[in-house]
Amino acid sequence: MQHDRILILDFGSQYTQLIARRIREERVYSEIHPPTRSLEWIREWAPKGIILSGGPSSVYEEGVPTTHKGILDLGVPILGICYGMQIIAQMEGSEVAVGRREYGRADLTVAEPGDLFHGFVPEEPTQVWCSHADHVDQPPPGYRALASTETLPVAAFQHMERPIFGVQFHPEVAHTPRGEEIISNFLLRICECRPTWTAGAFIEESVASIRNAVGEGTAICGLSGGVDSSVAAALVHRAIGDRLTCIFVDNGLLRKHEREDVERTFRKHMGVRLVVVDATDDFLEVLEGVEDPEEKRKRIGHVFIDVFTRVAAEEGTGAGHLVQGTLYPDVIESFSTGGPSQTIKTHHNVGGLPENLPFELIEPLRELFKDEVRQVGRELTLPEEFIRRHPFPGPGLGIRVLGSVTKERLDVLREADEIYLDEIKSAGLYDEIWQAFAVLLPVQAVGVMGDNRTYENVIALRAVTSRDGMTADWYPFPHDVLGRISSRIGNEVEGVNRVCYDVSSKPPATIEWE
């Protein structure tokens, strides 16, 4: 089935990925692409609608991202957001004013609800989130203003004959409470998209695609016990059955009891062939003395493939395909889309693999966000304990032990992390949190235990709430819970005398420390 789809042209906004996620929530497929895509490419891609994202640039700066004016003549509905609105205004002959900075909440007053603001009451203020300096004071010729704020006479506009719209605020962020309605109106009322992008449809199409890719061959899957690899394995197993061999690599970078839990549970629930290999020494050897996180990722990725190749040969699988649980945010964060967005970090699943990979990659979840993966897992009847698990990175504790990675430092972190998660679950808070983990810092601090002065390790605790992992806020623990966690770590983990809590949001920080 050909799904209706929305093309997002990325002009560098930190919120571009949120636009894609909000569209997916309406069960409409979306993809992010650079604004340099040609008109011919766009016509061939055949979107039902196009969204021009925001961005940090001014339309008057040299070398800023832009797009072909002919995009407005494709006959496809277009919505410009913030910088995207300003590009439309400039291309259509209106002046973009410079320098009236508006950042944060504002009250939007809708003059003409129409299709974009369907359901809004005229002249009744509603909160929106702004982040801009440039703005539009007069709509372009042939356009009319739809809404305003106290400082913006044109906070939204619409072409009077063609389905071209612009909004100066960000409907995709949570700080615009009715933003989802605006996006839904654009998708369903203006673009007339069919809401067919569902977990069931994705599974059906993915199974057919995997069967076509593998043919009569075989595949191996790196099973970590996390949500992504579990769902990827279940999906491929549904497609090719016993021709899939799952390999669980104990890389020495796992959480406490991880290996035992995965081995026990997957043999019980998955019904697939599972091979367990202890490669701790291989990984720790290549990580010795390595402190740079990108270098850690690359080395872990290389050893991972070496181990896989060796085990596959020993098991006689003859596998020609490697299954990975790469997600859409991994792809977005690892590589620029070709537009102005910046690479944040290389993900183990995406950028840590050698060029001469001896397998064809199968990444069935590459188009999905995390919550979509969870829903696919439920459709595949995976145990809820897997579906609810917090994300765990491919490099494991290797990027949560900051600085040099040793067995001793890993053991310290493992003990602290187990206490942390145990207390979160005991307090009934685990499902409220998107991701929680402990980090071992590459510093030591002075402390006092009994009558003795100590100089020992510092543990940082991280817990965030998020809808999709693209942005995140730190979780406001009750003080008594944080107190119990700190007390237990200090008393029970040898070599730790100080516990800190990370109150950074994403952005400016990332969720992981490395």
Side-chain angles (χ1 to χ4, degrees):
M1 176 182 180
Q2 179 63 52
H3 297 282
D4 293 339
R5 48 191 186 175
I6 298 294
L7 173 63
I8 303 168
L9 296 184
D10 176 22
F11 292 95
S13 171
Q14 61 180 324
Y15 303 130
T16 299
Q17 295 85 3
L18 285 180
I19 301 172
R21 189 62 205 93
R22 300 301 172 256
I23 295 170
R24 301 280 189 91
E25 288 171 355
E26 296 292 330
R27 297 190 296 171
V28 176
Y29 184 68
S30 62
E31 280 188 15
I32 299 169
H33 287 271
T36 51
R37 290 296 191 192
S38 67
L39 293 179
E40 291 73 18
W41 184 93
I42 295 174
R43 287 192 188 97
E44 186 176 343
W45 203 77
K48 287 282 285 186
I50 299 172
I51 292 182
L52 311 182
S53 84
S57 305
S58 168
V59 295
Y60 296 114
E61 296 172 1
E62 290 187 13
V64 296
T66 187
T67 190
H68 197 287
K69 187 178 186 300
I71 197 172
L72 302 178
D73 299 319
L74 292 176
V76 176
I78 293 176
L79 173 62
I81 295 176
C82 198
Y83 180 79
M85 173 184 178
Q86 295 160 17
I87 287 177
I88 293 173
Q90 185 186 53
M91 291 192 300
E92 292 286 75
S94 181
E95 180 180 354
V96 178
V98 179
R100 186 183 298 159
R101 182 167 178 78
E102 190 170 24
Y103 184 83
R105 293 173 176 82
D107 286 331
L108 182 81
T109 300
V110 176
E112 294 188 41
D115 285 334
L116 189 64
F117 293 102
H118 177 77
F120 285 66
V121 177
E123 307 305 326
E124 182 178 289
T126 183
Q127 179 184 297
V128 296
W129 182 264
C130 296
S131 178
H132 63 268
D134 297 356
H135 60 279
V136 178
D137 280 333
Q138 293 290 332
Y143 286 73
R144 65 175 181 271
L146 297 178
S148 61
T149 70
E150 189 174 312
T151 58
L152 293 174
V154 184
F157 62 46
Q158 173 188 354
H159 193 280
M160 288 184 280
E161 297 179 359
R162 295 179 290 169
I164 302 174
F165 302 81
V167 293
Q168 187 58 69
F169 56 91
H170 289 273
E172 69 273 25
V173 303
H175 299 306
T176 300
R178 300 188 68 179
E180 292 179 1
E181 292 179 54
I182 297 170
I183 291 174
S184 179
N185 285 337
F186 178 71
L187 298 177
L188 305 183
R189 300 183 66 86
I190 296 169
C191 299
E192 299 182 344
C193 290
R194 297 166 298 168
T196 60
W197 178 251
T198 63
F202 173 81
I203 292 170
E204 182 180 342
E205 293 159 15
S206 295
V207 165
S209 176
I210 293 165
R211 285 174 179 161
N212 181 62
V214 177
E216 297 301 316
T218 58
I220 55 176
C221 176
L223 206 53
S224 69
V227 177
D228 306 339
S229 69
S230 301
V231 174
L235 196 55
V236 175
H237 184 248
R238 175 168 291 192
I240 65 173
D242 293 340
R243 289 181 289 134
L244 170 69
T245 297
C246 290
I247 299 175
F248 178 78
V249 177
D250 184 350
N251 57 14
L253 309 173
L254 304 173
R255 289 168 290 196
K256 193 172 182 180
H257 305 308
E258 188 90 7
R259 173 177 169 176
E260 295 87 343
D261 291 344
V262 169
E263 190 170 5
R264 180 180 62 252
T265 308
F266 273 86
R267 285 200 167 121
K268 176 182 177 182
H269 289 288
M270 294 289 292
V272 300
R273 186 183 182 209
L274 176 63
V275 178
V276 178
V277 55
D278 188 345
T280 299
D281 292 342
D282 298 310
F283 284 89
L284 292 184
E285 182 180 348
V286 300
L287 289 173
E288 185 176 358
V290 178
E291 298 187 1
D292 178 72
E294 286 295 279
E295 184 63 24
K296 289 181 185 178
R297 281 184 166 84
K298 290 176 182 177
R299 294 193 181 203
I300 290 170
H302 282 229
V303 175
F304 176 78
I305 289 300
D306 289 344
V307 171
F308 253 64
T309 305
R310 184 181 75 238
V311 174
E314 292 171 353
E315 295 295 322
T317 66
H321 296 80
L322 170 63
V323 180
Q324 288 207 120
T326 308
L327 304 190
Y328 198 32
D330 299 339
V331 177
I332 294 169
E333 286 199 347
S334 292
F335 302 115
S336 168
T337 61
S341 293
Q342 298 296 310
T343 297
I344 308 299
K345 61 178 179 287
T346 301
H347 279 260
H348 165 60
N349 281 354
V350 182
L353 301 177
E355 292 183 5
N356 58 337
L357 189 68
F359 306 100
E360 292 290 330
L361 274 181
I362 295 179
E363 299 173 302
L365 311 179
R366 190 180 177 90
E367 298 175 339
L368 301 187
F369 289 91
K370 177 69 76 172
D371 56 339
E372 292 177 307
V373 173
R374 295 188 198 278
Q375 188 55 42
V376 168
R378 290 187 175 95
E379 289 278 340
L380 292 168
T381 67
L382 280 176
E384 191 64 23
E385 63 192 270
F386 294 132
I387 303 304
R388 293 169 44 245
R389 291 193 77 180
H390 290 179
F392 188 65
L397 301 184
I399 58 168
R400 292 180 179 173
V401 169
L402 305 195
S404 181
V405 179
T406 66
K407 183 181 183 304
E408 293 71 26
R409 300 190 76 213
L410 286 165
D411 287 342
V412 168
L413 179 57
R414 259 189 281 269
E415 295 296 328
D417 192 68
E418 183 183 45
I419 291 171
Y420 184 31
L421 294 180
D422 180 61
E423 286 295 329
I424 290 174
K425 291 173 182 176
S426 296
L429 303 176
Y430 188 81
D431 290 338
E432 294 182 18
I433 298 169
W434 167 270
Q435 191 171 1
F437 55 91
V439 178
L440 180 61
L441 302 188
V443 296
Q444 291 186 308
V446 175
V448 177
M449 289 189 174
D451 295 324
N452 298 318
R453 176 183 182 276
T454 63
Y455 193 62
E456 293 181 332
N457 293 298
V458 180
I459 289 287
L461 305 178
R462 181 77 158 139
V464 298
T465 58
S466 178
R467 294 180 66 174
D468 42 44
M470 305 309 301
T471 62
D473 291 320
W474 57 276
Y475 182 76
F477 276 114
H479 289 183
D480 61 324
V481 175
L482 271 181
R484 284 197 302 273
I485 294 168
S486 177
S487 177
R488 281 195 61 191
I489 291 175
N491 288 329
E492 299 176 30
V493 182
E494 187 175 351
V496 174
N497 67 2
R498 192 175 298 267
V499 177
C500 304
Y501 186 55
D502 181 353
V503 292
S504 306
S505 295
K506 174 186 180 181
T510 55
I511 295 177
E512 294 286 348
W513 277 50
E514 285 191 345

